[in-house]
Amino acid sequence: MSGKIAHNQLGYITNMPKTAVFIGAADSFRIVDIRTGRTVFSGIPGAPVQDEASNDTVSVIDFSTFNLEGDYYIKVGRNKSHLFTISREPYKGLLKGLLKSFYYNRCGTALDKRYAGEYERGLCHSELVPLFENPSVKLDVSGGWHDSGGYGRYSVCTSITLGHLLYAYSLFPESFSFSTGIPGGKERQPDVLTECRTGLDWLLKMQARDGGVHHKVSPMKYTPMVMPENDPSRQYVFPVSHQATACFCAVTALASRIYKPFDETYSKKLFQASVNAWIWLTNEPVFKPFENPPTFEKSLAGDFYDDNINDDIFWAVCELYETTGEEAFHGKLRELAERVDATNFCNRDNGGFGAMCYLLGSRPRDELIEQHLQVQLRMKADSLYSLSKKSGYGTAKSPDDYPVGSNMYAMTDSMTLILAYKIFDCRDYIETAYEQLGYILGKNPMGVCYVTGFGGEPVMHPYHRPSEADEVNDPVPGMLVCGPNNHLQDDFTIWNIPKEAPPAKCYYDISHSVSTNESTIYCNSAAVFVTSCFEDFGRKESEKNKKG
């Protein structure tokens, strides 16, 4: 890897920091215009530093003061980087691709060539599915998205995914003015909300008559590496769970507010479903974590064991308080606030959604709760900023922070930083989040763009059944893979990655590496949130500079 240049392979926003990394020592660097072949900027890299997570000696290339829009590459001696762009909105294509990937992962439907192109496929998983605890009862639970590399669908994961997407639209609506070319759109309704209805409509099918929500639909064992329409596995609807019901309650309340201007009838349906879920939760106060039956084959996706319901309930009551303004929900919120880590946006830890709702919402706030949430937020943001400054690559991770889904955490941590920026208006936070976007797009020790179909060196072999089983050379585009994982949790990495390998390099671009190269909907949705933020930020920064 010595001599390689790692950088954001999509590009940089005008008037934002622009850094790359040269692996090794260097005396100088040049920025070259690809159109003319001329050097348009030159400088001296920083002194070599040791990056602990990768064991690389790196020199930081900083060309932040260069703001001329165009297409370029970096030259260090004879070493040449991938191409990149500088513009006020360099991520528009990426945002469109990340969002379109949800269409490619739709379940219970055929993908028409008019919309899917070479990734067209047949109808899948449309049959009635038996209840696991009573197979004589069968339900229509068609729809939704295939959660990850396999064909399971999980209520908690879908709710978290929708939380990312709906808040992305709520906070940065102008970033979603494009068309992705998907079916089912309505007049005036942006494509992001059209796609979100895929997840919401499926969740509504997962709600039982008493208001509880079934945990998931999945087979008992891993599915063969086949196209979804050829899946021979028998799927089951698994029992109602507290986690699924609480996350459902939260996201349907959130969605009811967002869809109201577009479809009032649908908005009311979502709100009633949220209330019904809340009634079930109040009638079932004894929390029981969901656990798979002993005969279930352990999965790496969808079944994160969660023995703490407080964050899920906190998110739900925050959304219900914002939706209704009822003091009863505010009271429950007060009761939970000090027992929740309100800085995360993940499957197992999702209290950040509640904090986002409460701190940015329109309802009256309790000053003590507000201060408590802000202190948590500031401490987490400061910690991430400090980690980024210590890293040679600007990565906001400690060397021991590369578990399964490390790329997802890079994006959800960026969400925390973005919320902190909105609350405290601290430039350090938004710039640290920007570095994490650069990390997944190529400024990392592997020199890989972790999003399929994008960048000069993209992931080519994700653990994603349709991408492996179809006859198309390139994988389905727009999917963020899980990234480095030094816990070595699949047979391929156990045998092929040495135990002493640096954490940030415990990655293989091969479909056999389930624990490092799987794509998931909640990785993608977090990346949609972050990318939409910087599309919005770049546009506003440009407008601000024009006025100035």
Side-chain angles (χ1 to χ4, degrees):
M1 288 289 287
S2 180
K4 191 163 185 175
I5 302 168
H7 65 99
N8 184 326
Q9 294 171 19
L10 271 290
Y12 300 84
I13 297 172
T14 314
N15 300 309
M16 279 289 279
K18 303 171 193 70
T19 60
V21 164
F22 180 74
I23 301 174
D27 297 326
S28 64
F29 70 88
R30 297 184 290 134
I31 306 297
V32 180
D33 188 316
I34 64 170
R35 185 177 57 85
T36 64
R38 294 179 178 176
T39 297
V40 291
F41 185 87
S42 60
I44 300 172
V49 297
Q50 187 76 11
D51 178 68
E52 192 177 353
S54 64
N55 282 349
D56 288 339
T57 299
V58 301
S59 303
V60 176
I61 295 169
D62 192 333
F63 52 106
S64 299
T65 58
F66 180 67
N67 293 315
L68 183 65
E69 294 193 6
D71 299 311
Y72 308 97
Y73 61 86
I74 304 168
K75 201 94 187 282
V76 179
R78 294 181 179 179
N79 301 286
K80 180 179 172 181
S81 77
H82 296 293
L83 306 182
F84 63 90
T85 188
I86 295 177
S87 74
R88 70 172 194 157
E89 296 175 275
Y91 310 123
K92 190 174 290 294
L94 173 65
L95 180 56
K96 182 177 178 179
L98 289 166
L99 185 59
K100 181 70 177 279
S101 75
F102 287 92
Y103 170 70
Y104 295 126
N105 278 306
R106 285 189 187 182
C107 185
T109 185
L111 300 190
D112 193 297
K113 189 171 185 176
R114 290 175 296 169
Y115 309 108
E118 61 186 343
Y119 301 101
E120 66 175 319
R121 56 174 170 79
L123 176 68
C124 70
H125 304 105
S126 59
E127 67 280 357
L128 297 178
V129 181
L131 288 174
F132 177 78
E133 67 267 40
N134 185 3
S136 65
V137 178
K138 296 184 178 182
L139 303 178
D140 174 14
V141 287
S142 59
W145 301 297
H146 299 138
D147 177 83
S148 45
Y151 299 134
R153 288 160 288 158
Y154 307 85
S155 295
V156 173
C157 295
T158 297
S159 297
I160 298 302
T161 297
L162 287 164
H164 295 152
L165 295 176
L166 291 170
Y167 269 114
Y169 171 72
S170 176
L171 296 177
F172 315 112
E174 291 181 23
S175 295
F176 294 96
S177 58
F178 56 80
S179 169
T180 54
I182 59 173
K186 294 189 175 185
E187 189 178 356
R188 297 187 308 110
Q189 180 175 279
D191 280 1
V192 64
L193 297 188
T194 298
E195 194 58 57
C196 282
R197 283 194 69 151
T198 298
L200 288 165
D201 289 346
W202 176 73
L203 280 179
L204 290 170
K205 290 182 178 182
M206 293 292 283
Q207 187 172 38
R209 289 183 180 179
D210 63 359
V213 177
H214 291 282
H215 194 77
K216 64 175 180 173
V217 179
S218 78
M220 295 290 288
K221 297 182 181 295
Y222 273 110
T223 304
M225 196 65 78
V226 296
M227 293 296 287
E229 63 267 34
N230 299 325
D231 181 8
S233 305
R234 186 178 185 184
Q235 295 198 334
Y236 294 90
V237 179
F238 283 76
V240 165
S241 75
H242 283 80
Q243 297 104 318
T245 306
C247 290
F248 173 100
C249 178
V251 82
T252 48
L254 166 62
S256 72
R257 301 195 303 272
I258 291 176
Y259 281 88
K260 191 172 183 179
F262 302 99
D263 189 336
E264 191 161 356
T265 300
Y266 191 59
S267 171
K268 289 178 179 177
K269 182 179 182 180
L270 290 165
F271 175 66
Q272 189 57 58
S274 179
V275 170
N276 291 344
W278 180 252
I279 291 171
W280 185 91
L281 289 166
T282 57
N283 289 336
E284 299 287 342
V286 180
F287 169 56
K288 296 179 182 178
F290 176 83
E291 295 188 68
N292 281 308
T295 52
F296 189 86
E297 187 171 330
K298 186 180 178 183
S299 171
L300 287 167
D303 289 321
F304 301 97
Y305 180 77
D306 186 356
D307 60 0
N308 183 359
I309 194 68
N310 287 334
D311 54 334
D312 310 81
I313 299 291
F314 177 71
W315 180 22
V317 294
C318 286
E319 298 292 355
L320 285 167
Y321 175 58
E322 178 64 21
T323 304
T324 67
E326 291 184 13
E327 189 56 33
F329 293 120
H330 204 187
K332 184 67 176 176
L333 193 158
R334 288 190 185 93
E335 178 187 321
L336 288 167
E338 293 194 5
R339 289 189 266 153
V340 170
D341 179 349
T343 64
N344 296 309
F345 298 87
C346 308
N347 298 327
R348 189 186 287 113
D349 301 300
N350 51 56
F353 287 112
M356 184 175 284
C357 177
Y358 191 73
L359 293 174
L360 301 180
S362 61
R363 302 295 181 181
R365 290 186 285 275
D366 181 298
E367 187 177 350
L368 290 178
I369 296 176
E370 186 174 29
Q371 289 177 354
H372 176 72
L373 295 177
Q374 287 184 356
V375 167
Q376 280 197 51
L377 187 60
R378 186 133 223 174
M379 289 176 66
K380 177 71 173 286
D382 285 345
S383 174
L384 292 169
Y385 168 76
S386 177
L387 287 168
S388 178
K389 287 299 180 185
K390 291 176 183 176
S391 165
Y393 288 88
T395 315
K397 293 181 180 296
S398 63
D400 59 356
D401 190 21
Y402 287 84
V404 64
S406 64
N407 282 346
M408 176 195 70
Y409 292 116
M411 293 295 92
T412 55
D413 284 344
S414 296
M415 291 179 65
T416 304
L417 288 158
I418 290 165
L419 177 58
Y421 171 73
K422 281 191 159 292
I423 299 298
F424 304 114
D425 194 27
C426 175
R427 184 86 178 191
D428 288 341
Y429 297 155
I430 197 71
E431 291 184 357
T432 304
Y434 187 56
E435 283 285 351
Q436 309 324 299
L437 180 61
Y439 168 83
I440 68 163
L441 297 179
K443 191 189 169 189
N444 57 64
M446 301 303 299
V448 171
C449 178
Y450 286 118
V451 180
T452 57
F454 287 86
E457 195 171 332
V459 169
M460 290 299 295
H461 305 285
Y463 178 76
H464 179 250
R465 279 168 174 76
S467 292
E468 284 296 298
D470 66 15
E471 297 179 356
V472 183
N473 288 331
D474 291 339
V476 169
M479 299 187 302
L480 173 63
V481 297
C482 287
N485 172 16
N486 68 334
H487 295 182
L488 307 183
Q489 288 173 281
D490 62 73
D491 290 342
F492 182 87
T493 57
I494 289 170
W495 285 101
N496 289 278
I497 297 179
K499 289 183 179 180
E500 65 275 11
K505 293 182 177 178
C506 291
Y507 169 78
Y508 254 100
D509 182 13
I510 192 169
S511 62
H512 299 301
S513 184
V514 185
S515 65
T516 74
N517 218 31
E518 185 168 25
S519 64
T520 68
I521 56 173
Y522 42 89
C523 277
N524 259 62
S525 54
V528 166
F529 182 100
V530 175
T531 307
S532 66
C533 167
F534 286 109
E535 271 296 285
D536 182 77
F537 189 83
R539 184 170 52 252
K540 288 178 178 174
E541 283 287 290
S542 178
E543 290 169 359
K544 188 193 305 180
N545 287 320
K546 282 180 182 178
K547 290 177 182 177

